[in-house]
Amino acid sequence: MRLSRYFMPILKENPKEAEIVSHRLMLRAGMIRQQSQGIYSWLPLGKRVLDKVNAIIRDEQNRAGAIELSMPTLQSAELWQESGRYDAYGKEMLRIKDRQDRPMLYGPTNEEMVTDIFRSSVKSYKDLPLNLYHIQLKFRDEIRPRFGTMRSREFMMKDAYSFDLTREAAEHSYNKMFAAYLRTFDRLGLRAIPMRADTGPIGGKLSHEFIILADTGESEVFCHKDFVDFDIPGAHTDFDSVEGLQAIFDKWTSLYAATSEMHDEAAFNAVPEGDRLSARGIEVGHIFYFGTKYSEPMGAKVQGPDGKEHFVHMGSYGIGPTRLVPAIIEASHDDNGIIWPASVAPFDIVVINMKAGDQACDDTFELIYAALSKAGKDVLYDDTDDRAGTKFATADLIGVPVQIIAGPRAVANGEVEVKDRKTGARETMTIEAAINRFVA
Ligand code: ATP
Ligand code: MG
């Protein structure tokens, strides 16, 4: 991508409305724009990061055996009347009437709809287990939307829903998502700790929130500090192994970890003082097992091996991609801007031509840009006629992991400088060596 032809509206000034660093940096880097309170457009740079986050989430959901579909944002109130949540849900639900005066709503979550899909076609235990997910916009009319996309009214959620014949089978489905979440957050460059959680309006029996420790987090959390160094399940984890996944779950729940709603002071005090971590955190994922809470009122049942009909046991599993992007920034930035983990960076490399319009510089950078692009790298080429200082500041702000920089003097020597955004380390090398480093 040539910066001169891209759309990346950088802000020079610090936006006054932003209270936390991630919100400030997302606005300054031109990643998002607020359209009305708590409702955002994702501008091209932000959209690139969001897509990469979603690709990792999708990859790990698929690995764990979940199947992607797509459900609509607008739902009929009827389904919610069946489950009893239409009245129970309160003011966070945006209620709408269509032209026939039928009550509709903008979905805050999808348990009812997916249960309806399930009951319309699954009739036998032989079709279980089943886990269906989508990555879709949700709307919750939050009383206090704030911190940019961290707590917005319209936001994106990956929500998965599992269906099983028995409680034991449902626990295995729960454990699959538990392990998939550990892997997902790790690949996003985050350390998320599963904490026992309240089941809230989704209702249920077993529930964990995945929390990232951050000073700006809205949750107050308490946990054993060893979680910070626990091993993440590997890429070859066997998601069909009941014992294997139970062992992962048991290990990751063996030490104290709870949010303030579930906090047990006495149990926490039993943790040796030096091992206690009491901190603030950001909830990036939340999983629930809730048994037959929806399948009973909505009549979702299958024939079991005993020939009888059984209400299915369900769970739901949410991750917030539009919250994860700012959460990653909270965890990874410095005074100059964002520092993206390579896995979600909007571009792999930014190449900075310090003197666009200079023939030798232009020729050299065209060559570098073409070679890296051909090798499959996502390259941002700063070919604008901005001052070098402005270019450096922009590159640091948008947080691309690698910068390749040169002006007329370096180009005359056949050299470029390669800068690592995270460490700030710079290395001078030949143009060929720089290309080979990233093409090899
Ligand atoms: P919170 O406690 O932060 O209000 P929640 O418990 O109501 O969230 P869940 O129903 O558990 O949210 O939703 C699953 C995930 O969706 C959350 O873990 C979070 O990552 C994301 N999410 C929920 N609400 C919002 C929001 N208003 N803005 C952005 N992401 C959200
Ligand atoms: Mg939650």
Side-chain angles (χ1 to χ4, degrees), residues 94-368:
L94 181 64
R95 296 156 207 260
I96 311 162
K97 288 245 172 85
D98 71 9
R99 68 197 294 166
Q100 268 94 30
D101 225 25
R102 278 187 296 244
M104 311 278 294
L105 56 100
Y106 192 137
T109 175
N110 281 63
E111 280 80 7
E112 283 79 356
M113 188 172 278
V114 77
T115 303
D116 178 59
I117 291 173
F118 178 90
R119 73 180 171 185
S120 71
S121 39
V122 182
K123 306 290 178 202
S124 164
Y125 76 95
K126 290 180 188 155
D127 297 324
L128 303 183
L130 184 65
N131 184 326
L132 299 173
Y133 78 97
H134 69 163
I135 301 178
Q136 178 62 292
L137 293 171
K138 303 283 180 285
F139 192 92
R140 294 181 186 172
D141 204 350
E142 301 267 357
I143 190 159
R144 251 190 102 200
R146 57 183 187 151
F147 302 156
T149 65
M150 187 79 88
R151 177 171 299 283
S152 50
R153 297 199 297 165
E154 187 188 62
F155 60 96
M156 197 170 271
M157 201 198 291
K158 181 289 297 179
D159 38 329
Y161 303 89
S162 66
F163 302 88
D164 286 280
L165 183 65
T166 62
R167 177 178 177 127
E168 293 69 48
E171 282 177 6
H172 181 215
S173 294
Y174 187 91
N175 291 347
K176 285 185 193 172
M177 288 293 110
F178 189 95
Y181 276 36
L182 292 173
R183 288 191 45 75
T184 302
F185 298 125
D186 183 60
R187 285 182 61 188
L188 296 172
L190 295 168
R191 170 54 50 139
I193 302 172
M195 306 206 179
R196 278 187 53 210
D198 199 7
T199 48
I202 308 274
K205 299 180 166 160
L206 177 62
S207 177
H208 287 87
E209 284 179 359
F210 287 74
I211 306 269
I212 287 162
L213 303 181
D215 294 339
T216 50
E218 293 184 280
S219 314
E220 197 184 357
V221 301
F222 306 86
C223 70
H224 196 292
K225 76 165 175 35
D226 284 1
F227 276 120
V228 176
D229 302 311
F230 265 24
D231 285 342
I232 300 295
H236 298 295
T237 301
D238 178 1
F239 282 85
D240 290 324
S241 163
V242 173
E243 304 75 35
L245 288 195
Q246 191 60 44
I248 292 170
F249 177 85
D250 289 346
K251 171 150 194 253
W252 277 88
T253 53
S254 60
L255 300 175
Y256 189 85
T259 60
S260 56
E261 297 89 51
M262 296 295 280
H263 186 48
D264 174 348
E265 197 70 45
F268 188 54
N269 286 336
V271 175
E273 197 171 351
D275 293 338
R276 285 181 220 154
L277 205 61
S278 124
R280 307 216 47 97
I282 301 168
E283 179 197 324
V284 288
H286 197 166
I287 61 178
F288 302 86
Y289 161 68
F290 45 74
T292 58
K293 181 177 154 80
Y294 299 95
S295 59
E296 273 193 57
M298 295 187 68
K301 50 195 171 184
V302 295
Q303 193 173 53
D306 56 3
K308 294 193 187 128
E309 303 239 281
H310 301 264
F311 291 115
V312 287
H313 286 250
M314 293 174 59
S316 69
Y317 314 90
I319 292 185
T322 49
R323 176 177 290 178
L324 270 167
V325 173
I328 293 167
I329 298 175
E330 289 294 326
S332 184
H333 65 269
D334 63 15
D335 289 346
N336 297 329
I338 303 165
I339 303 174
W340 292 114
S343 60
V344 298
F347 295 95
D348 300 317
I349 304 169
V350 54
V351 296
I352 304 173
N353 180 349
M354 287 165 65
K355 192 144 194 198
D358 173 278
Q359 195 62 49
C361 284
D362 290 353
D363 290 348
T364 298
F365 274 94
E366 287 298 336
L367 188 135
I368 297 173

